[in-house]
Amino acid sequence: MRSTASILHLDLDAFFASVEQRDKPSLRGKPVVVGGVGARGVVSTASYEARKFGVRSAMSAAEARARCPHAAFLGGRFEAYREASGIVMARLRELSPVVQPLSLDEAFVDLAAGETFDPRHVEELVATLRADVVRLTHGLTASVGVASSKLMAKIASEINKPDGAFVVQPGTEADVLGPMQVTAIPGVGPATAERLRRLGVATVEDLRRFSVDDLGAHVGASSAESLYRLSRADDDRPVEATRETKSVSVEDTFETNLVDRTLLSEIAEQMARRVGQRLRANSLSGRTVTLKVRYHDFETHTRSTTLSGPTDSGRVLAETARRLLDAEDLGGGLRLLGVGVSGLADWVQDDLFTPPETEEDLGPLPSRDERRRRRGWTPGEDVTHAEHGDGWVWGSGLGRVTVRFETRESPSGPVKTFPVDDPALSVRPFVSSVEP
């Protein structure tokens, strides 16, 4: 733990839902749920208006709709979220070169690594940063915590959430942490919390009554050591800037969830063959093939397999990628798909009697319109109509699609319904409109 409060944690408030409210005037101040569109969907983010009804992240769509049936349930627009996130992360890198993003809406910053950091003016720095986030993103808010460790900085960002800040002064860490629920400690989920409850542990202060050995008998030796240290705010983990991995990969973020397995298999094969082209162009090969997927609830997973030897064959990579995809439960659909190769080498170990692959014209990946045709219209999707202009999908079904015509800059707009195959209605390509 440091002697100064120089580690900052920033968390954008109800990020995905807030972006939707910012860009859709009719939803401002109303319950919004991102994710959970399909029957098997899962809530990714709920606005604070929806949270008042008990809707929360990772809740099933069915339960969320039962709790808040009047909420707007949207599929999400990853490009808009990624743009806003990029602007905030760029602002953080102006404070320090050492920024550790945890997700699109959350990051640690090592302020001490910045050239102009003065611990005497940390509260002014935080106030300026939060004001800049609102200005640069056209209205999004962030909660910020600053402390002498990553543990306490993250906890501090929760204290006055949403749209608040808290600085934990050095020497007060244990006092701040003690009265909190034990679930404030990272890694204490429902199962661990239940085990600790049986020991009479509800708060962090309760946890401090136990030795490492006593805890180890109930939660395991490794967990006991971590709990013992963190309950005393003993955390010396450094902020680690993201490092580029040594791999070759291709990935694509879809405007809305793709559920068509045949389409996704086609995309995975195209990606794998493109990776093969890049490997051959750089006289490289690789052994480990990784499939990256981001699900409808924005949770990201990877699945990998290691070949017997390095290869640059697009055919081999495509077959491997398809097998990895076949093992995935697509559930409510995929938001992102990627194929990568690591374990790079400058030689290839393929069958000597296999003819070398030629540089083939793979053509473009399936277009936005082709994807839209296969999956149908998704609530929240940006569209444009030849007569009525820009808007977003309110809902669709029974051969019809309902659109609310409004944009971020307009007032709340009118709602109109069209046949799903109306030739005048099309997906609106994402155009950056948030300028730093």
Side-chain angles (χ1 to χ4, degrees):
M1 209 159 46
R2 305 184 182 191
S3 59
T4 60
S6 59
I7 294 180
L8 179 145
H9 179 262
L10 177 141
D11 189 2
L12 290 163
D13 299 317
F15 180 48
F16 299 151
S18 294
V19 172
E20 297 300 339
Q21 290 176 317
R22 179 196 68 182
D23 295 348
K24 298 174 171 62
S26 61
L27 298 183
R28 293 170 189 167
K30 297 180 180 179
V32 173
V33 177
V34 176
V37 174
R40 297 178 58 192
V42 177
V43 174
S44 174
T45 305
S47 69
Y48 285 97
E49 295 85 356
R51 294 182 191 187
K52 293 178 182 178
F53 293 87
V55 181
R56 53 177 174 75
S57 299
M59 177 180 286
S60 70
E63 185 175 354
R65 289 180 183 275
R67 289 174 179 259
C68 192
H70 59 292
F73 286 79
L74 308 178
R77 301 172 302 131
F78 191 77
E79 288 174 312
Y81 310 149
R82 183 169 56 187
E83 177 194 61
S85 172
I87 287 174
V88 174
M89 297 302 167
R91 177 64 182 89
L92 294 179
R93 291 187 176 93
E94 293 177 0
L95 297 177
S96 168
V98 183
V99 176
Q100 182 181 352
L102 303 180
S103 60
L104 286 178
D105 58 346
E106 186 179 5
F108 284 111
V109 182
D110 185 349
L111 297 174
E115 295 181 357
T116 61
F117 175 64
D118 185 342
R120 297 172 299 177
H121 302 296
V122 65
E123 292 184 354
E124 292 91 330
L125 179 151
V126 169
T128 299
L129 171 63
R130 292 177 54 239
D132 285 348
V133 168
V134 174
R135 174 176 58 84
L136 294 171
T137 64
H138 291 195
L140 302 183
T141 63
S143 296
V144 176
V146 184
S148 57
S149 67
K150 292 172 76 172
L151 168 70
M152 293 307 301
K154 183 172 177 61
I155 287 173
S157 69
E158 295 286 335
I159 290 177
N160 289 323
K161 195 172 181 66
D163 192 19
F166 190 85
V167 177
V168 180
Q169 297 300 332
T172 67
E173 293 88 355
D175 293 335
V176 172
L177 185 59
M180 294 185 174
Q181 294 295 303
V182 72
T183 50
I185 296 178
V188 179
T192 301
E194 176 58 24
R195 290 184 181 182
L196 294 175
R197 185 192 65 79
R198 294 170 185 169
L199 297 175
V201 173
T203 67
V204 176
E205 188 64 47
D206 295 336
L207 185 61
R208 293 175 187 161
R209 299 199 307 263
F210 293 85
S211 67
V212 173
D213 291 340
D214 289 338
L215 290 173
H218 298 275
V219 299
S222 60
S223 296
E225 178 66 31
S226 175
L227 287 174
Y228 185 85
R229 289 190 304 99
L230 295 180
S231 69
R232 289 158 175 77
D234 180 6
D235 178 24
D236 58 0
R237 294 172 298 160
V239 178
E240 298 178 332
T242 303
R243 294 182 175 85
E244 185 178 358
T245 57
K246 295 182 179 180
S247 64
V248 176
S249 62
V250 174
E251 66 179 43
D252 192 12
T253 299
F254 312 129
E255 313 82 46
T256 52
N257 303 332
L258 292 188
V259 297
D260 187 325
R261 186 175 286 277
T262 300
L263 174 60
L264 287 166
S265 183
E266 292 173 8
I267 295 173
E269 178 170 351
Q270 284 272 55
M271 289 178 169
R273 292 187 178 275
R274 290 181 186 280
V275 170
Q277 280 187 340
R278 293 183 183 181
L279 289 171
R280 294 192 296 275
N282 291 278
S283 300
L284 293 171
S285 62
R287 291 188 60 189
T288 300
V289 182
T290 299
L291 183 81
K292 177 181 178 182
V293 297
R294 177 170 293 124
Y295 293 101
H296 58 285
D297 58 356
F298 294 88
E299 184 174 343
T300 304
H301 290 177
T302 59
R303 184 185 292 269
S304 301
T305 187
T306 299
L307 306 175
S308 58
T311 185
D312 61 3
S313 167
R315 176 183 56 79
V316 173
L317 298 177
E319 291 174 354
T320 305
R322 286 199 304 269
R323 286 198 302 271
L324 292 172
L325 181 63
D326 287 343
E328 289 293 324
D329 179 4
L330 300 185
L334 298 186
R335 176 72 54 171
L336 173 146
L337 182 64
V339 177
V341 174
S342 56
L344 301 183
D346 57 1
W347 57 283
V348 180
Q349 182 177 307
D350 281 334
D351 190 332
L352 295 177
F353 298 100
T354 300
E357 294 192 32
T358 57
E359 293 296 329
E360 55 191 320
D361 181 9
L362 295 175
L365 292 171
S367 68
R368 180 186 295 247
D369 286 339
E370 170 65 11
R371 297 172 188 168
R372 210 283 312 153
R373 184 184 65 78
R374 295 203 196 184
R375 61 165 165 75
W377 299 104
T378 301
E381 183 174 18
D382 290 327
V383 295
T384 189
H385 191 276
E387 179 183 352
H388 301 287
D390 294 341
W392 55 278
V393 175
W394 180 267
S396 65
L398 302 177
R400 295 181 176 275
V401 56
T402 300
V403 177
R404 182 179 284 277
F405 289 96
E406 64 183 9
T407 64
R408 183 194 310 169
E409 293 78 17
S410 75
S412 180
V415 174
K416 297 182 180 298
T417 299
F418 311 92
V420 292
D421 56 355
D422 187 335
L425 186 67
S426 61
V427 175
R428 174 156 47 103
F430 179 78
V431 176
S432 176
S433 59
V434 180
E435 297 295 338

mmCIF file with all atom_site columns, all heavy atoms in Angstrom, residues 402-420:
data_model
loop_
_atom_site.group_PDB
_atom_site.id
_atom_site.type_symbol
_atom_site.label_atom_id
_atom_site.label_alt_id
_atom_site.label_comp_id
_atom_site.label_asym_id
_atom_site.label_entity_id
_atom_site.label_seq_id
_atom_site.pdbx_PDB_ins_code
_atom_site.Cartn_x
_atom_site.Cartn_y
_atom_site.Cartn_z
_atom_site.occupancy
_atom_site.B_iso_or_equiv
_atom_site.pdbx_formal_charge
_atom_site.auth_seq_id
_atom_site.auth_comp_id
_atom_site.auth_asym_id
_atom_site.auth_atom_id
_atom_site.pdbx_PDB_model_num
ATOM 1   N N   . THR A 1 402 ? -41.925 -1.352 -35.498 1.00 0.00 ? 402 THR A N   1
ATOM 2   C CA  . THR A 1 402 ? -42.312 -0.027 -35.007 1.00 0.00 ? 402 THR A CA  1
ATOM 3   C C   . THR A 1 402 ? -41.063 0.794  -34.717 1.00 0.00 ? 402 THR A C   1
ATOM 4   O O   . THR A 1 402 ? -40.134 0.305  -34.068 1.00 0.00 ? 402 THR A O   1
ATOM 5   C CB  . THR A 1 402 ? -43.175 -0.148 -33.743 1.00 0.00 ? 402 THR A CB  1
ATOM 6   O OG1 . THR A 1 402 ? -44.344 -0.892 -34.056 1.00 0.00 ? 402 THR A OG1 1
ATOM 7   C CG2 . THR A 1 402 ? -43.573 1.227  -33.223 1.00 0.00 ? 402 THR A CG2 1
ATOM 8   N N   . VAL A 1 403 ? -41.047 2.020  -35.196 1.00 0.00 ? 403 VAL A N   1
ATOM 9   C CA  . VAL A 1 403 ? -39.872 2.888  -35.093 1.00 0.00 ? 403 VAL A CA  1
ATOM 10  C C   . VAL A 1 403 ? -40.252 4.199  -34.426 1.00 0.00 ? 403 VAL A C   1
ATOM 11  O O   . VAL A 1 403 ? -41.305 4.775  -34.723 1.00 0.00 ? 403 VAL A O   1
ATOM 12  C CB  . VAL A 1 403 ? -39.280 3.177  -36.493 1.00 0.00 ? 403 VAL A CB  1
ATOM 13  C CG1 . VAL A 1 403 ? -38.094 4.132  -36.395 1.00 0.00 ? 403 VAL A CG1 1
ATOM 14  C CG2 . VAL A 1 403 ? -38.871 1.875  -37.177 1.00 0.00 ? 403 VAL A CG2 1
ATOM 15  N N   . ARG A 1 404 ? -39.400 4.643  -33.497 1.00 0.00 ? 404 ARG A N   1
ATOM 16  C CA  . ARG A 1 404 ? -39.557 5.990  -32.942 1.00 0.00 ? 404 ARG A CA  1
ATOM 17  C C   . ARG A 1 404 ? -38.536 6.884  -33.636 1.00 0.00 ? 404 ARG A C   1
ATOM 18  O O   . ARG A 1 404 ? -37.327 6.600  -33.604 1.00 0.00 ? 404 ARG A O   1
ATOM 19  C CB  . ARG A 1 404 ? -39.350 6.013  -31.434 1.00 0.00 ? 404 ARG A CB  1
ATOM 20  C CG  . ARG A 1 404 ? -39.566 7.413  -30.846 1.00 0.00 ? 404 ARG A CG  1
ATOM 21  C CD  . ARG A 1 404 ? -39.394 7.444  -29.353 1.00 0.00 ? 404 ARG A CD  1
ATOM 22  N NE  . ARG A 1 404 ? -40.512 6.887  -28.617 1.00 0.00 ? 404 ARG A NE  1
ATOM 23  C CZ  . ARG A 1 404 ? -41.624 7.549  -28.307 1.00 0.00 ? 404 ARG A CZ  1
ATOM 24  N NH1 . ARG A 1 404 ? -41.776 8.812  -28.702 1.00 0.00 ? 404 ARG A NH1 1
ATOM 25  N NH2 . ARG A 1 404 ? -42.573 6.961  -27.622 1.00 0.00 ? 404 ARG A NH2 1
ATOM 26  N N   . PHE A 1 405 ? -39.014 7.958  -34.238 1.00 0.00 ? 405 PHE A N   1
ATOM 27  C CA  . PHE A 1 405 ? -38.135 8.828  -35.014 1.00 0.00 ? 405 PHE A CA  1
ATOM 28  C C   . PHE A 1 405 ? -37.628 9.984  -34.146 1.00 0.00 ? 405 PHE A C   1
ATOM 29  O O   . PHE A 1 405 ? -38.326 10.974 -33.914 1.00 0.00 ? 405 PHE A O   1
ATOM 30  C CB  . PHE A 1 405 ? -38.862 9.342  -36.254 1.00 0.00 ? 405 PHE A CB  1
ATOM 31  C CG  . PHE A 1 405 ? -39.077 8.256  -37.272 1.00 0.00 ? 405 PHE A CG  1
ATOM 32  C CD1 . PHE A 1 405 ? -40.276 7.561  -37.319 1.00 0.00 ? 405 PHE A CD1 1
ATOM 33  C CD2 . PHE A 1 405 ? -38.064 7.903  -38.139 1.00 0.00 ? 405 PHE A CD2 1
ATOM 34  C CE1 . PHE A 1 405 ? -40.463 6.536  -38.244 1.00 0.00 ? 405 PHE A CE1 1
ATOM 35  C CE2 . PHE A 1 405 ? -38.237 6.879  -39.066 1.00 0.00 ? 405 PHE A CE2 1
ATOM 36  C CZ  . PHE A 1 405 ? -39.435 6.195  -39.120 1.00 0.00 ? 405 PHE A CZ  1
ATOM 37  N N   . GLU A 1 406 ? -36.410 9.802  -33.661 1.00 0.00 ? 406 GLU A N   1
ATOM 38  C CA  . GLU A 1 406 ? -35.742 10.801 -32.842 1.00 0.00 ? 406 GLU A CA  1
ATOM 39  C C   . GLU A 1 406 ? -34.259 10.501 -32.833 1.00 0.00 ? 406 GLU A C   1
ATOM 40  O O   . GLU A 1 406 ? -33.831 9.375  -33.130 1.00 0.00 ? 406 GLU A O   1
ATOM 41  C CB  . GLU A 1 406 ? -36.286 10.789 -31.412 1.00 0.00 ? 406 GLU A CB  1
ATOM 42  C CG  . GLU A 1 406 ? -36.022 9.475  -30.676 1.00 0.00 ? 406 GLU A CG  1
ATOM 43  C CD  . GLU A 1 406 ? -36.628 9.442  -29.283 1.00 0.00 ? 406 GLU A CD  1
ATOM 44  O OE1 . GLU A 1 406 ? -37.390 10.356 -28.941 1.00 0.00 ? 406 GLU A OE1 1
ATOM 45  O OE2 . GLU A 1 406 ? -36.327 8.483  -28.532 1.00 0.00 ? 406 GLU A OE2 1
ATOM 46  N N   . THR A 1 407 ? -33.460 11.491 -32.512 1.00 0.00 ? 407 THR A N   1
ATOM 47  C CA  . THR A 1 407 ? -32.008 11.332 -32.349 1.00 0.00 ? 407 THR A CA  1
ATOM 48  C C   . THR A 1 407 ? -31.594 12.056 -31.078 1.00 0.00 ? 407 THR A C   1
ATOM 49  O O   . THR A 1 407 ? -32.422 12.709 -30.425 1.00 0.00 ? 407 THR A O   1
ATOM 50  C CB  . THR A 1 407 ? -31.230 11.895 -33.543 1.00 0.00 ? 407 THR A CB  1
ATOM 51  O OG1 . THR A 1 407 ? -31.447 13.314 -33.604 1.00 0.00 ? 407 THR A OG1 1
ATOM 52  C CG2 . THR A 1 407 ? -31.673 11.247 -34.852 1.00 0.00 ? 407 THR A CG2 1
ATOM 53  N N   . ARG A 1 408 ? -30.325 11.953 -30.751 1.00 0.00 ? 408 ARG A N   1
ATOM 54  C CA  . ARG A 1 408 ? -29.833 12.592 -29.533 1.00 0.00 ? 408 ARG A CA  1
ATOM 55  C C   . ARG A 1 408 ? -30.131 14.092 -29.518 1.00 0.00 ? 408 ARG A C   1
ATOM 56  O O   . ARG A 1 408 ? -30.452 14.664 -28.471 1.00 0.00 ? 408 ARG A O   1
ATOM 57  C CB  . ARG A 1 408 ? -28.324 12.374 -29.408 1.00 0.00 ? 408 ARG A CB  1
ATOM 58  C CG  . ARG A 1 408 ? -27.734 12.931 -28.129 1.00 0.00 ? 408 ARG A CG  1
ATOM 59  C CD  . ARG A 1 408 ? -26.222 12.993 -28.191 1.00 0.00 ? 408 ARG A CD  1
ATOM 60  N NE  . ARG A 1 408 ? -25.661 11.725 -28.628 1.00 0.00 ? 408 ARG A NE  1
ATOM 61  C CZ  . ARG A 1 408 ? -24.387 11.577 -28.959 1.00 0.00 ? 408 ARG A CZ  1
ATOM 62  N NH1 . ARG A 1 408 ? -23.564 12.618 -28.911 1.00 0.00 ? 408 ARG A NH1 1
ATOM 63  N NH2 . ARG A 1 408 ? -23.933 10.400 -29.341 1.00 0.00 ? 408 ARG A NH2 1
ATOM 64  N N   . GLU A 1 409 ? -30.034 14.737 -30.668 1.00 0.00 ? 409 GLU A N   1
ATOM 65  C CA  . GLU A 1 409 ? -30.176 16.194 -30.741 1.00 0.00 ? 409 GLU A CA  1
ATOM 66  C C   . GLU A 1 409 ? -31.625 16.646 -30.862 1.00 0.00 ? 409 GLU A C   1
ATOM 67  O O   . GLU A 1 409 ? -31.917 17.833 -30.735 1.00 0.00 ? 409 GLU A O   1
ATOM 68  C CB  . GLU A 1 409 ? -29.381 16.734 -31.930 1.00 0.00 ? 409 GLU A CB  1
ATOM 69  C CG  . GLU A 1 409 ? -27.868 16.599 -31.806 1.00 0.00 ? 409 GLU A CG  1
ATOM 70  C CD  . GLU A 1 409 ? -27.384 15.186 -32.108 1.00 0.00 ? 409 GLU A CD  1
ATOM 71  O OE1 . GLU A 1 409 ? -28.176 14.412 -32.719 1.00 0.00 ? 409 GLU A OE1 1
ATOM 72  O OE2 . GLU A 1 409 ? -26.259 14.848 -31.734 1.00 0.00 ? 409 GLU A OE2 1
ATOM 73  N N   . SER A 1 410 ? -32.556 15.703 -31.119 1.00 0.00 ? 410 SER A N   1
ATOM 74  C CA  . SER A 1 410 ? -33.948 16.089 -31.350 1.00 0.00 ? 410 SER A CA  1
ATOM 75  C C   . SER A 1 410 ? -34.767 15.961 -30.075 1.00 0.00 ? 410 SER A C   1
ATOM 76  O O   . SER A 1 410 ? -34.343 15.321 -29.106 1.00 0.00 ? 410 SER A O   1
ATOM 77  C CB  . SER A 1 410 ? -34.542 15.196 -32.441 1.00 0.00 ? 410 SER A CB  1
ATOM 78  O OG  . SER A 1 410 ? -34.824 13.898 -31.913 1.00 0.00 ? 410 SER A OG  1
ATOM 79  N N   . PRO A 1 411 ? -35.976 16.522 -30.069 1.00 0.00 ? 411 PRO A N   1
ATOM 80  C CA  . PRO A 1 411 ? -36.898 16.224 -28.961 1.00 0.00 ? 411 PRO A CA  1
ATOM 81  C C   . PRO A 1 411 ? -37.466 14.825 -29.131 1.00 0.00 ? 411 PRO A C   1
ATOM 82  O O   . PRO A 1 411 ? -37.227 14.159 -30.140 1.00 0.00 ? 411 PRO A O   1
ATOM 83  C CB  . PRO A 1 411 ? -37.986 17.292 -29.129 1.00 0.00 ? 411 PRO A CB  1
ATOM 84  C CG  . PRO A 1 411 ? -37.962 17.635 -30.579 1.00 0.00 ? 411 PRO A CG  1
ATOM 85  C CD  . PRO A 1 411 ? -36.514 17.519 -31.007 1.00 0.00 ? 411 PRO A CD  1
ATOM 86  N N   . SER A 1 412 ? -38.216 14.368 -28.133 1.00 0.00 ? 412 SER A N   1
ATOM 87  C CA  . SER A 1 412 ? -38.861 13.066 -28.223 1.00 0.00 ? 412 SER A CA  1
ATOM 88  C C   . SER A 1 412 ? -39.722 13.026 -29.477 1.00 0.00 ? 412 SER A C   1
ATOM 89  O O   . SER A 1 412 ? -40.499 13.943 -29.755 1.00 0.00 ? 412 SER A O   1
ATOM 90  C CB  . SER A 1 412 ? -39.718 12.828 -26.980 1.00 0.00 ? 412 SER A CB  1
ATOM 91  O OG  . SER A 1 412 ? -40.357 11.579 -27.050 1.00 0.00 ? 412 SER A OG  1
ATOM 92  N N   . GLY A 1 413 ? -39.564 11.937 -30.276 1.00 0.00 ? 413 GLY A N   1
ATOM 93  C CA  . GLY A 1 413 ? -40.174 11.912 -31.591 1.00 0.00 ? 413 GLY A CA  1
ATOM 94  C C   . GLY A 1 413 ? -41.381 11.001 -31.722 1.00 0.00 ? 413 GLY A C   1
ATOM 95  O O   . GLY A 1 413 ? -41.727 10.241 -30.807 1.00 0.00 ? 413 GLY A O   1
ATOM 96  N N   . PRO A 1 414 ? -42.031 11.033 -32.883 1.00 0.00 ? 414 PRO A N   1
ATOM 97  C CA  . PRO A 1 414 ? -43.225 10.226 -33.127 1.00 0.00 ? 414 PRO A CA  1
ATOM 98  C C   . PRO A 1 414 ? -42.905 8.758  -33.363 1.00 0.00 ? 414 PRO A C   1
ATOM 99  O O   . PRO A 1 414 ? -41.770 8.407  -33.695 1.00 0.00 ? 414 PRO A O   1
ATOM 100 C CB  . PRO A 1 414 ? -43.807 10.858 -34.400 1.00 0.00 ? 414 PRO A CB  1
ATOM 101 C CG  . PRO A 1 414 ? -42.601 11.407 -35.118 1.00 0.00 ? 414 PRO A CG  1
ATOM 102 C CD  . PRO A 1 414 ? -41.687 11.894 -34.023 1.00 0.00 ? 414 PRO A CD  1
ATOM 103 N N   . VAL A 1 415 ? -43.916 7.912  -33.199 1.00 0.00 ? 415 VAL A N   1
ATOM 104 C CA  . VAL A 1 415 ? -43.780 6.474  -33.402 1.00 0.00 ? 415 VAL A CA  1
ATOM 105 C C   . VAL A 1 415 ? -44.616 6.068  -34.615 1.00 0.00 ? 415 VAL A C   1
ATOM 106 O O   . VAL A 1 415 ? -45.785 6.461  -34.731 1.00 0.00 ? 415 VAL A O   1
ATOM 107 C CB  . VAL A 1 415 ? -44.252 5.701  -32.158 1.00 0.00 ? 415 VAL A CB  1
ATOM 108 C CG1 . VAL A 1 415 ? -44.239 4.199  -32.416 1.00 0.00 ? 415 VAL A CG1 1
ATOM 109 C CG2 . VAL A 1 415 ? -43.375 6.042  -30.967 1.00 0.00 ? 415 VAL A CG2 1
ATOM 110 N N   . LYS A 1 416 ? -43.995 5.283  -35.521 1.00 0.00 ? 416 LYS A N   1
ATOM 111 C CA  . LYS A 1 416 ? -44.696 4.821  -36.708 1.00 0.00 ? 416 LYS A CA  1
ATOM 112 C C   . LYS A 1 416 ? -44.396 3.344  -36.935 1.00 0.00 ? 416 LYS A C   1
ATOM 113 O O   . LYS A 1 416 ? -43.320 2.863  -36.570 1.00 0.00 ? 416 LYS A O   1
ATOM 114 C CB  . LYS A 1 416 ? -44.298 5.642  -37.940 1.00 0.00 ? 416 LYS A CB  1
ATOM 115 C CG  . LYS A 1 416 ? -44.681 7.119  -37.840 1.00 0.00 ? 416 LYS A CG  1
ATOM 116 C CD  . LYS A 1 416 ? -44.311 7.878  -39.091 1.00 0.00 ? 416 LYS A CD  1
ATOM 117 C CE  . LYS A 1 416 ? -44.689 9.349  -38.967 1.00 0.00 ? 416 LYS A CE  1
ATOM 118 N NZ  . LYS A 1 416 ? -46.152 9.550  -38.807 1.00 0.00 ? 416 LYS A NZ  1
ATOM 119 N N   . THR A 1 417 ? -45.336 2.640  -37.558 1.00 0.00 ? 417 THR A N   1
ATOM 120 C CA  . THR A 1 417 ? -45.192 1.206  -37.793 1.00 0.00 ? 417 THR A CA  1
ATOM 121 C C   . THR A 1 417 ? -45.192 0.918  -39.284 1.00 0.00 ? 417 THR A C   1
ATOM 122 O O   . THR A 1 417 ? -45.953 1.529  -40.053 1.00 0.00 ? 417 THR A O   1
ATOM 123 C CB  . THR A 1 417 ? -46.339 0.441  -37.116 1.00 0.00 ? 417 THR A CB  1
ATOM 124 O OG1 . THR A 1 417 ? -46.287 0.689  -35.696 1.00 0.00 ? 417 THR A OG1 1
ATOM 125 C CG2 . THR A 1 417 ? -46.202 -1.060 -37.348 1.00 0.00 ? 417 THR A CG2 1
ATOM 126 N N   . PHE A 1 418 ? -44.312 -0.038 -39.697 1.00 0.00 ? 418 PHE A N   1
ATOM 127 C CA  . PHE A 1 418 ? -44.137 -0.380 -41.099 1.00 0.00 ? 418 PHE A CA  1
ATOM 128 C C   . PHE A 1 418 ? -44.069 -1.894 -41.257 1.00 0.00 ? 418 PHE A C   1
ATOM 129 O O   . PHE A 1 418 ? -43.800 -2.616 -40.291 1.00 0.00 ? 418 PHE A O   1
ATOM 130 C CB  . PHE A 1 418 ? -42.818 0.210  -41.642 1.00 0.00 ? 418 PHE A CB  1
ATOM 131 C CG  . PHE A 1 418 ? -42.618 1.660  -41.332 1.00 0.00 ? 418 PHE A CG  1
ATOM 132 C CD1 . PHE A 1 418 ? -41.934 2.050  -40.182 1.00 0.00 ? 418 PHE A CD1 1
ATOM 133 C CD2 . PHE A 1 418 ? -43.117 2.639  -42.171 1.00 0.00 ? 418 PHE A CD2 1
ATOM 134 C CE1 . PHE A 1 418 ? -41.735 3.387  -39.890 1.00 0.00 ? 418 PHE A CE1 1
ATOM 135 C CE2 . PHE A 1 418 ? -42.935 3.987  -41.895 1.00 0.00 ? 418 PHE A CE2 1
ATOM 136 C CZ  . PHE A 1 418 ? -42.242 4.363  -40.750 1.00 0.00 ? 418 PHE A CZ  1
ATOM 137 N N   . PRO A 1 419 ? -44.272 -2.397 -42.471 1.00 0.00 ? 419 PRO A N   1
ATOM 138 C CA  . PRO A 1 419 ? -43.985 -3.809 -42.727 1.00 0.00 ? 419 PRO A CA  1
ATOM 139 C C   . PRO A 1 419 ? -42.498 -4.076 -42.505 1.00 0.00 ? 419 PRO A C   1
ATOM 140 O O   . PRO A 1 419 ? -41.659 -3.202 -42.788 1.00 0.00 ? 419 PRO A O   1
ATOM 141 C CB  . PRO A 1 419 ? -44.371 -3.994 -44.201 1.00 0.00 ? 419 PRO A CB  1
ATOM 142 C CG  . PRO A 1 419 ? -45.290 -2.849 -44.513 1.00 0.00 ? 419 PRO A CG  1
ATOM 143 C CD  . PRO A 1 419 ? -44.833 -1.717 -43.654 1.00 0.00 ? 419 PRO A CD  1
ATOM 144 N N   . VAL A 1 420 ? -42.145 -5.267 -42.036 1.00 0.00 ? 420 VAL A N   1
ATOM 145 C CA  . VAL A 1 420 ? -40.736 -5.554 -41.735 1.00 0.00 ? 420 VAL A CA  1
ATOM 146 C C   . VAL A 1 420 ? -39.861 -5.480 -42.986 1.00 0.00 ? 420 VAL A C   1
ATOM 147 O O   . VAL A 1 420 ? -38.657 -5.247 -42.890 1.00 0.00 ? 420 VAL A O   1
ATOM 148 C CB  . VAL A 1 420 ? -40.565 -6.941 -41.079 1.00 0.00 ? 420 VAL A CB  1
ATOM 149 C CG1 . VAL A 1 420 ? -41.179 -6.956 -39.704 1.00 0.00 ? 420 VAL A CG1 1
ATOM 150 C CG2 . VAL A 1 420 ? -41.133 -8.038 -41.965 1.00 0.00 ? 420 VAL A CG2 1
#
